[in-house]
């Protein structure tokens, strides 16, 4: 193998490694799951065992539900309430709701009502 072939192969391998890392940059992670029961004034809490860093969240409905809001608690104790006020059908997603910058999420509290007796909710984060 001559030097030109070796350098060309090396460049190709490096470019493939670089491309695969950037493709995974906007990876979607599950922050937590919970079940919403009927109607109520209390939110369904999702405590996270470890702090998960994310720059945005979105919600997936595992059954039909009416999603009101999510209260996000960050690692430093600050909270942010994100209002959705929408009906979600089974296996549908909300749009991404961004934070100003990547933040470390410690706890989530989901407020809403299920159309039946209970509805599952999955909260997703975006890893950057």
């Amino acid at each position: 193998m001559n030097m030109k072939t070796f350098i060309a192969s090396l460049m190709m391998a490096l470019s493939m490694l670089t491309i695969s890392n950037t493709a995974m940059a906007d990876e979607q992670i599950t922050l937590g799951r919970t079940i919403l029961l009927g109607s109520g004034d209390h939110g369904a809490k999702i405590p996270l065992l470890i702090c998960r860093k994310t720059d945005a969240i979105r919600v997936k409905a595992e059954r039909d539900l009416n999603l009101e809001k999510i209260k996000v608690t960050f690692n430093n104790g600050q909270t942010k309430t994100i209002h959705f006020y929408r009906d979600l059908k089974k296996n549908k997603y909300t749009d991404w709701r961004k934070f100003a910058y990547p933040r470390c999420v410690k706890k989530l509290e989901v407020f809403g009502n299920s159309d039946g007796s209970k509805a599952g909710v999955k909260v997703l984060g975006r890893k950057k």
Side-chain angles (χ1 to χ4, degrees), residues 15-78:
S15 68
M16 291 175 93
L17 288 173
T18 305
I19 291 171
S20 65
N21 284 342
T22 55
M24 294 174 65
D26 288 339
E27 180 182 357
Q28 180 171 285
I29 56 173
T30 301
L31 295 175
R33 291 180 172 191
T34 190
I35 295 174
L36 294 176
L37 302 172
S39 61
D41 296 333
H42 302 291
K45 294 180 181 164
I46 306 173
L48 295 143
L49 297 176
I50 60 170
C51 178
R52 302 296 302 264
K53 196 164 191 169
T54 183
D55 73 333
I57 65 168
R58 78 174 179 175
V59 178
K60 178 187 178 193
E62 295 178 344
R63 284 197 184 168
D64 293 353
L65 63 97
N66 180 315
L67 181 64
E68 291 177 15
K69 62 185 175 181
I70 294 182
K71 184 178 176 183
V72 182
T73 304
F74 300 108
N75 197 30
N76 61 359
Q78 292 180 338

